[in-house]
Amino acid sequence: MSFRTKLLAFFTLTTVAAVTMVAWGVSVYARRAFEEFDHQRTDALVAQFRREYAQRGDEVARRVQGIADAEATVRMAMDLNRPQADASQYYNDARGIAQTQQLDFLDIVADDGTLISSSEWPARFGYKNDWVGSEQDWNSKNAFLRRVDLPDSVELALLAVRTVKVGDKRLFLIGGQRLDQNFLATLVLPEGMRALLYRNLEQGFVPTALTDAQGQAGQPDQLAPLITEVQSTKRELQRTITTGVGRDANSETFNAIPLLGRDDGLLGVLLVGSSRSELIQLLTFIRALALLVGGGAILLGLILGWWISARVTRPIEKLAAGAREVAAGHWEASVDVHSRDEIGQLADAFNEMTRQLTEQRERLVQTERVAAWRELARRLAHELKNPLFPLQLTVENLQRAREQTSEQFDEIFFESTATLRVELENLKAIVSRFSDFAKMPPPEFESVDVNECVRGVVKLFEPQLAAVGRPSIAPELYLDENLPRTQADPILLRRALENLVLNSLDAMPAGGTLTVRTSQFNGSVRLEVADTGPGLTPEECARLFTPYYTSKRHGTGLGLAIVQSVVSDHGGKISVESAPGAGATFRIDLPVVQPGMQDKKDAFELPQDRGAGKGRGNSKEKLEEKLEEKLDELRASKAEPEPPGKPPREDRPIITAA
Amino acid sequence: MALSFAVLICGLSAPASVRPKRGGTLRVQIKDHPVVIDPRQWPAASNQAATAERLDSLVFDRLAQLDERGIPRPALAISWEHDASFHRWQFRLRPGVKFSEGSPLTLMEAAPALQQLLGPAFDVSTNSDSVIIQADRPLPGLLAQLATGRYFIYRAAEDGSLSGTGPFRVAQWASEGSPSKAVLVANESCWAGAPFVDKIELTMGVDPQQQANAISFGNADVVELPASQVRRAAQRGVRTESSDPVDLFALVVDTARPFLQDVRIRRAISLAIDRASIADVILQHQGTAARGLLPNWISGYASLFPVSFDLARAKELLAASGSEPSHSSPLVLNFDSGDADAGAVADRVAVNLREAGISVVASGQSWDVKNSKADLRLDRYRIASPDSGVALSGLLKPLGEPSTEMETLEQSYAAERAPIDVFHVIPLVHVSESYGLSSQVRDWMPPRWGGWRLQDVWLGPPSKSGGAPQ
């Protein structure tokens, strides 16, 4: 992923995250604010209910007290206090009095609990009403909630009891009003709120017992779990209930307030529902707005991010391109950045760096050129000085021989001229070697079996290895028989290998082991020539491939330079690994196929296919198979273990020069 | 001295204050609607028949009429005689009687009218001055029968209208609408003498509460009062009059229902009902606990029927029966929703039975309750005659009991006992017939078995107190 893409992604993610955070924050704030508002509304409605409930209770108590205080009631109490009193004459009184006082329920009960008259169930006259006699001071008691049995139903009522005492007997007046939807209708409900009353007058949950201000409430089953929970706990609870499905779905928060009777029995549950549709609409609007703003912000962020990232990355891309040019060897590369920020400073520094590098390289080249010339001059002087000195001595000897006899002079003359001829040959040889190095021909590539080349070179040197009177050197060959054929110039390759072998033989004047190894390495052919000589110092390793440098007394310093030149012309690498006293190993890695020589390689191998008498079409397939085999060999070579008998190298210091 | 003077003044003024005055309009309200006054089309329901009889007695006359003691006295017949075996009766018509439209009453009108009303079982014929009624069976109670019920002498005009010889004639009869009104004007040529009031404005189909309000606010002179409202009306200053108990509230049990097939359960129902409370409290002492179908003042043997309120025994019987009605499907008790007394009695019966362990739902029906299908039925029967035989026949027929000979007291007792013993019919209470009267109404003298005698009523000045000017 490019830096620009990363920057763009960063900008986009930052924008999305920021918008999401803002939307989430607004949603949370809105939700909390709404819930707080909803909580306040619910509390207000519950308080209103309690207030209305208390007022209704006070009103009921006041009306019942009014009945108790009425003269007719007192007369009734006095009449009933008489022996042989006829209570039947008051049988119909409760209904009329209840209507007058706007009470839904009124029972007139004698001191012994016998029902004298009932407005709601007149036919129950004469039956006992035991609970009313248990309280001694009803007149100081407030209204309370109680279930009232009717002929065909059970009602929930807010009752008050008052007594009229005549003598030692009391007349009980039990009056009350029905707690039903009419009571709910008196509550002033804010928009989005509703109040429901569940009359808990039967066991379990009875759907028809749930009413609202209009009558029986719809979808009572959805409130059943909440009511059932209140029935079991008798505690105030709050639950959010979702009603309806799909578009009609509405979420409501219900506060369930238990309504207890005198004996703490649960007689009813007030349910205050607050619709969350406003909250849902608000949150939906916030989400839509957030999506809209987020989308716009993302789009804007993308544009801005693209513009900013382009603006930021363009100089960096220029710098990267400049760096790649430098890496490619174009040290004079420079970037054109005009900003004054850090990027501009970096570009300036880059330009300054390349300028400095170019200058230093030129200076270094100049220095190296001078050093090379100096080394060449020194080497030439050294090489030429050796034959010149005998020449000078011989010439001086000839000059002195003129003073000798002619026989002696002749003898000296012939001896001197022979010497002069030898030395002149030496001079010619020296000049010839320098000339050869200068005239290194370009390689002519062809398919070469490196193993065959190795065997040929080693065979060439076998007489020297086994020469009489010389410490023996044992050749050891570790050749990879699966080594692919390599595109190389066989003459130059042989020459380079001869130089390496010769170099190793020179490094082992006391004898030793010459090891030549071939192998496959990273798609290349690796050729290693190792000796068991005294090894090289790091300084020697560093200068080993410098032309005309030699650590030998009679070397020209051109052998390894020629090797390096050949390897370089083949697109390969050469390195040396050595430690003092541990011998030296020269390692050459040659590419199997020369760049741009694929067709040539094919051409090298096609004649073999033709020689096999195969058709043209088959030849192409064969070639592909061959290439595939080569690739398989390359793959196999990566996993190939080290050949047996190879000396371990981990325990010796490694110095590598390339 | 002063006291003697005051007594003298009172003695002189008293006759003048009670002397009947003629004229005025008597405003009467009744609950029933529509009311048919054609004797040929009497309703089957006894309480509606009672209303028809009250109205018909204003327009028509029978051959005989019952006196205060229930003894037949001459009306359109001035004398009667029968053979020894009571197969043949002969009634001599009163001479000089004219129908309200002016035509004289002759044997040619009387005999066909009676023949149509008595039916083909009777042979109605005439001789020179008498109507002769014969039958294949002895008719010892024929005179009592003809003195009550629908056996009015009428004359049918060619246009279908009827005319009678009674104290009033129909001047207007609007049966449409509710309430509907009828106007009866005095028949000045009535053989028994013209009535005191000029006319009667009759309003039909007025519910009891409206009637109570009407009498309280002076918008009516005569209204019907449910027994349960009599005392309250009196407390409000309304003048009330009640007959002897003449209505029977009885529980009719559908013995075909599985739960009620066991006679022990039916007996338990009878034992669980507190009749005294119904009579004393609900009906405000305007009734008496019923032992038999007929009140004791008519039959004289009602005390022979064993009846008591025994809740414990009722529960025992229920337990012994081994079956209880499901509370999810309680027994249904039908009653006439237009009868305020019936509703209250039904509610009390339901409470009593619930206490005994029988779940009952009282259900008011606005249609013919007696023909409704229910587990229990609260029926109200009008006892149409002070004659036990005639009255009992009138009761047993709508109950579906077989008609038997009830010429003797023993026969009547046996016939009455039959449905009671098997608890097919459970008598509850006998209730009086009560009326609310305005303070202007004078000489309200109905017979003890109820009904009207509006021809004797006259209107005096209104009383300032609103109470009865007795």
Side-chain angles (χ1 to χ4, degrees):
Chain A
M1 185 183 287
S2 66
F3 181 63
R4 178 178 294 189
T5 308
K6 288 180 182 174
L7 206 57
L8 194 59
F10 173 76
F11 273 118
T12 306
L13 287 175
T14 305
T15 306
V16 170
V19 171
T20 304
M21 287 288 288
V22 169
W24 177 77
V26 171
S27 296
V28 169
Y29 176 77
R31 185 187 296 272
R32 285 182 182 166
F34 184 88
E35 285 174 352
E36 180 66 24
F37 174 63
D38 183 52
H39 189 64
Q40 290 175 359
R41 285 200 313 175
T42 303
D43 286 349
L45 189 59
V46 171
Q48 184 192 356
F49 172 81
R50 294 191 192 284
R51 204 164 47 247
E52 189 73 23
Y53 184 80
Q55 287 177 356
R56 185 68 66 93
D58 292 344
E59 181 64 20
V60 166
R62 189 183 63 75
R63 289 181 183 179
V64 178
Q65 185 64 54
I67 296 170
D69 293 340
E71 185 182 344
T73 310
V74 175
R75 275 206 308 269
M76 183 194 300
M78 294 173 67
D79 181 42
L80 291 170
N81 199 31
R82 286 187 297 107
Q84 307 301 322
D86 180 13
S88 68
Q89 61 181 310
Y90 305 110
Y91 161 69
N92 279 316
D93 285 13
R95 182 171 292 180
I97 297 170
Q99 287 176 350
T100 305
Q101 293 294 331
Q102 296 182 330
L103 292 173
D104 297 321
F105 309 105
L106 179 63
D107 286 353
I108 301 172
V109 180
D111 185 66
D112 62 352
T114 303
L115 182 65
I116 295 172
S117 180
S118 172
S119 66
E120 68 275 8
W121 198 354
R124 283 202 79 250
F125 69 89
Y127 287 94
K128 292 284 186 179
N129 204 344
D130 295 330
W131 61 271
V132 75
S134 60
E135 181 67 45
Q136 291 301 316
D137 186 16
W138 279 112
N139 291 342
S140 63
K141 301 294 180 185
N142 293 327
F144 56 91
L145 211 56
R146 186 175 173 79
R147 59 175 285 160
V148 176
D149 291 322
L150 297 179
D152 50 2
S153 63
V154 183
E155 294 284 354
L156 187 60
L158 195 56
L159 296 180
V161 181
R162 293 294 181 263
T163 58
V164 179
K165 193 166 186 177
V166 175
D168 58 347
K169 290 189 176 178
R170 293 178 296 177
L171 180 69
F172 298 100
L173 300 163
I174 308 168
Q177 289 184 333
R178 190 178 284 109
L179 203 65
D180 56 6
Q181 64 265 29
N182 295 326
F183 180 75
L184 294 177
T186 61
L187 299 176
V188 180
L189 296 170
E191 186 72 24
M193 297 195 76
R194 61 173 175 153
L196 299 98
L197 178 68
Y198 178 77
R199 290 175 294 173
N200 188 45
L201 304 174
E202 296 178 47
Q203 290 292 324
F205 176 75
V206 180
T208 54
L210 185 65
T211 59
D212 57 16
Q214 282 75 42
Q216 188 169 338
Q219 299 179 327
D221 292 339
Q222 289 171 335
L223 291 169
L226 175 58
I227 292 171
T228 306
E229 195 173 348
V230 175
Q231 284 175 327
S232 60
T233 61
K234 294 184 182 177
R235 287 191 298 110
E236 185 171 337
L237 296 174
Q238 185 186 63
R239 295 286 182 275
T240 298
I241 294 171
T242 301
T243 58
V245 292
R247 282 186 168 183
D248 298 330
N250 182 26
S251 183
E252 280 184 289
T253 300
F254 279 95
N255 274 64
I257 299 147
L259 304 175
L260 305 179
R262 288 183 70 240
D263 54 355
D264 290 336
L266 183 70
L267 296 176
V269 181
L270 175 72
L271 297 147
V272 178
S274 177
S275 174
R276 295 170 66 86
S277 60
E278 292 177 16
L279 173 64
I280 293 170
Q281 286 174 3
L282 181 62
L283 292 177
T284 305
F285 174 73
I286 289 172
R287 285 197 196 101
L289 190 64
L291 281 174
L292 190 66
V293 172
I298 289 168
L299 186 64
L300 189 63
L302 279 171
I303 294 169
L304 279 175
W306 177 83
W307 180 74
I308 291 171
S309 61
R311 193 174 167 77
V312 169
T313 57
R314 192 176 297 121
I316 295 174
E317 287 173 353
K318 287 181 179 178
L319 281 169
R324 280 195 296 273
E325 281 191 48
V326 170
H330 304 291
W331 290 15
E332 68 279 4
S334 65
V335 293
D336 185 17
V337 177
H338 302 288
S339 63
R340 298 176 181 175
D341 54 8
E342 290 82 352
I343 302 293
Q345 293 173 7
L346 180 62
D348 291 342
F350 178 85
N351 290 338
E352 178 63 20
M353 180 189 75
T354 55
R355 190 181 60 77
Q356 293 276 352
L357 279 175
T358 305
E359 288 177 2
Q360 286 183 6
R361 185 185 65 174
E362 288 175 355
R363 278 199 299 272
L364 185 61
V365 168
Q366 190 68 26
T367 303
E368 283 189 350
R369 189 177 294 145
V370 170
W373 279 112
R374 281 179 180 164
E375 185 65 23
L376 177 61
R378 187 187 66 80
R379 177 57 53 190
L380 270 175
H382 177 74
E383 290 291 328
L384 293 177
K385 192 168 65 179
N386 286 342
L388 284 177
F389 183 65
L391 285 174
Q392 184 182 0
L393 288 178
T394 303
V395 171
E396 287 175 355
N397 196 27
L398 277 175
Q399 286 174 342
R400 279 191 307 267
R402 289 177 65 186
E403 296 171 358
Q404 301 293 327
T405 63
S406 59
E407 290 85 5
Q408 288 178 331
F409 178 75
D410 289 341
E411 183 183 357
I412 292 172
F413 177 76
F414 287 116
E415 187 179 344
S416 295
T417 54
T419 302
L420 286 173
R421 190 177 291 117
V422 170
E423 291 306 325
L424 285 172
E425 285 299 324
N426 282 342
L427 279 174
K428 280 176 68 180
I430 292 169
V431 171
S432 176
R433 285 204 297 272
F434 278 92
S435 175
D436 287 346
F437 179 67
K439 294 191 293 184
M440 280 290 288
E444 293 181 1
F445 294 105
E446 60 182 79
S447 181
V448 175
D449 184 349
V450 175
N451 289 342
E452 191 62 32
C453 183
V454 169
R455 289 189 193 99
V457 170
V458 173
K459 192 173 182 180
L460 179 66
F461 284 95
E462 274 179 356
Q464 285 182 262
L465 297 176
V468 179
R470 180 175 175 162
S472 75
I473 295 174
E476 290 184 4
L477 302 182
Y478 300 101
L479 304 179
D480 184 357
E481 295 304 325
N482 296 319
L483 205 63
R485 295 178 72 84
T486 307
Q487 289 180 357
D489 187 327
I491 297 170
L492 291 179
L493 185 60
R494 188 181 180 93
R495 186 173 173 184
L497 192 54
E498 287 171 358
N499 278 328
L500 285 177
V501 171
L502 193 60
N503 195 59
S504 296
L505 294 179
D506 290 343
M508 296 182 291
T513 303
L514 172 69
T515 304
V516 181
R517 188 192 314 271
T518 60
S519 61
Q520 300 178 54
F521 178 77
N522 283 346
S524 303
V525 170
R526 171 164 286 187
L527 175 63
E528 292 175 326
V529 179
D531 61 60
T532 56
L536 299 167
T537 62
E539 291 75 18
E540 289 172 333
C541 288
R543 300 194 59 189
L544 205 56
F545 298 102
T546 304
Y548 314 115
Y549 172 80
T550 182
S551 58
K552 296 179 289 188
R553 290 186 60 188
H554 302 292
T556 58
L558 291 175
L560 289 180
I562 289 169
V563 174
Q564 188 191 31
S565 174
V566 169
V567 171
S568 177
D569 288 344
H570 280 74
K573 288 194 303 182
I574 185 169
S575 60
V576 62
E577 188 177 295
S578 178
T585 300
F586 290 87
R587 186 175 295 124
I588 295 172
D589 291 326
L590 292 174
V592 177
V593 179
Q594 292 298 321
M597 293 295 291
Q598 182 66 40
D599 296 339
K600 283 188 177 182
K601 179 179 181 290
D602 297 341
F604 295 146
E605 300 192 2
L606 278 173
Q608 292 180 3
D609 297 334
R610 289 190 195 107
K614 302 290 177 68
R616 187 178 179 84
N618 289 336
S619 299
K620 187 177 180 182
E621 291 171 5
K622 278 282 183 183
L623 184 62
E624 289 173 352
E625 288 173 6
K626 233 174 185 30
L627 286 172
E628 196 63 37
E629 286 172 6
K630 298 294 180 189
L631 288 172
D632 291 339
E633 289 168 2
L634 286 173
R635 292 186 196 108
S637 67
K638 290 181 181 177
E640 192 173 45
E642 289 286 333
K646 185 178 181 181
R649 297 180 177 178
E650 287 77 6
D651 56 348
R652 53 179 180 170
I654 305 298
I655 296 170
T656 301
Chain B
M1 180 68 178
L3 183 62
S4 303
F5 182 74
V7 170
L8 179 61
I9 294 299
C10 291
L12 291 174
S13 60
S17 64
V18 298
R19 184 179 300 159
K21 292 183 179 177
R22 292 188 176 276
T25 300
L26 185 68
R27 298 162 299 173
V28 180
Q29 293 187 350
I30 60 174
K31 179 174 72 71
D32 286 344
H33 173 78
V35 176
V36 177
I37 63 167
D38 188 342
R40 296 169 296 181
Q41 301 174 6
W42 263 35
S46 62
N47 49 354
Q48 292 176 344
T51 302
E53 183 182 8
R54 287 184 208 117
L55 293 175
D56 280 357
S57 64
L58 298 176
V59 180
F60 307 104
D61 288 314
R62 302 184 184 94
L63 292 179
Q65 59 187 357
L66 299 176
D67 67 2
E68 294 294 326
R69 293 175 294 170
I71 299 172
R73 298 296 179 190
L76 292 181
I78 57 173
S79 65
W80 48 80
E81 56 188 41
H82 57 82
D83 60 6
S85 63
F86 293 99
H87 282 83
R88 184 177 184 277
W89 287 75
Q90 181 174 336
F91 296 89
R92 281 190 64 205
L93 281 186
R94 184 181 295 274
V97 177
K98 290 183 178 180
F99 287 103
S100 57
E101 34 81 21
S103 62
L105 170 66
T106 64
L107 294 171
M108 291 302 105
E109 278 83 24
L114 284 173
Q115 181 66 70
Q116 188 159 12
L117 296 175
L118 287 169
F122 295 82
D123 179 25
V124 181
S125 59
T126 60
N127 58 14
S128 59
D129 61 348
S130 300
V131 175
I132 299 167
I133 302 174
Q134 298 178 85
D136 295 338
R137 58 184 175 89
L139 303 169
L142 180 64
L143 187 59
Q145 182 180 357
L146 294 178
T148 58
R150 62 173 182 165
Y151 304 106
F152 293 101
I153 306 299
Y154 61 88
R155 181 177 185 276
E158 291 183 354
D159 61 355
S161 62
L162 300 181
S163 59
T165 59
F168 295 92
R169 63 181 173 84
V170 177
Q172 178 188 342
W173 191 272
S175 59
E176 300 297 325
S178 180
S180 60
K181 286 202 171 183
V183 177
L184 287 77
V185 298
N187 180 12
E188 298 297 339
S189 62
C190 179
W191 62 272
F196 291 101
V197 296
D198 291 337
K199 62 179 180 179
I200 297 172
E201 281 185 2
L202 179 66
T203 307
M204 297 169 284
V206 184
D207 71 54
Q209 187 59 47
Q210 288 177 321
Q211 291 188 49
N213 292 337
I215 196 71
S216 296
F217 295 117
N219 296 328
D221 296 313
V222 179
V223 297
E224 299 167 326
L225 285 178
S228 56
Q229 300 298 322
V230 170
R231 179 144 50 180
R232 176 171 292 275
Q235 287 172 346
R236 291 206 302 257
V238 176
R239 178 182 159 205
T240 61
E241 293 285 347
S242 298
S243 68
D244 281 3
V246 289
D247 279 359
L248 169 66
F249 272 115
L251 208 58
V252 180
V253 182
D254 187 351
T255 55
R257 301 293 169 118
F259 176 67
L260 298 171
Q261 285 177 348
D262 191 335
V263 71
R264 289 174 295 185
I265 293 175
R266 300 201 295 270
R267 189 180 174 205
I269 291 173
S270 177
L271 288 170
I273 298 172
D274 182 6
R275 294 168 176 77
S277 291
I278 294 174
D280 295 341
V281 181
I282 292 178
L283 301 178
Q284 295 287 285
H285 298 289
Q286 297 300 309
T288 56
R291 289 171 169 264
L293 300 179
L294 296 177
N296 196 56
W297 70 270
I298 293 179
S299 68
Y301 54 71
S303 58
L304 297 178
F305 291 104
V307 65
S308 62
F309 171 53
D310 192 341
L311 187 60
R313 179 63 182 148
K315 289 181 177 177
E316 287 177 8
L317 286 170
L318 273 176
S321 71
S323 59
E324 291 184 4
S326 168
H327 286 281
S328 59
S329 58
L331 297 178
V332 177
L333 168 59
N334 279 0
F335 64 91
D336 182 1
S337 60
D339 186 341
D341 290 341
V345 172
D347 284 344
R348 182 63 179 185
V349 168
V351 170
N352 284 157
L353 295 182
R354 192 175 297 184
E355 287 296 316
I358 303 173
S359 184
V360 174
V361 172
S363 173
Q365 304 292 329
S366 59
W367 30 276
D368 188 1
V369 177
K370 292 185 178 64
N371 291 323
S372 66
K373 294 293 182 184
D375 304 304
L376 302 170
R377 211 174 67 221
L378 180 66
D379 283 349
R380 183 172 191 159
Y381 297 99
R382 174 70 177 184
I383 297 169
S385 171
D387 182 86
S388 62
V390 174
L392 197 55
S393 296
L395 285 175
L396 293 177
K397 188 176 179 182
L399 287 171
E401 294 296 324
S403 60
T404 57
E405 293 293 332
M406 288 178 284
E407 303 303 333
T408 64
L409 204 57
E410 287 77 11
Q411 288 175 335
S412 296
Y413 176 69
E416 187 176 347
R417 178 145 196 158
I420 294 175
D421 279 351
V422 296
F423 299 99
H424 168 52
V425 179
I426 301 173
L428 298 180
V429 285
H430 290 112
V431 190
S432 301
E433 182 181 274
S434 301
Y435 294 97
L437 305 175
S438 73
S439 60
Q440 290 179 279
V441 175
R442 301 287 196 274
D443 286 347
W444 177 267
M445 296 179 294
R448 62 183 301 191
W449 56 90
W452 293 343
R453 282 186 176 168
L454 299 186
Q455 63 271 31
D456 298 331
V457 170
W458 56 279
L459 296 174
S463 169
K464 291 180 180 177
S465 64
Q470 301 297 330

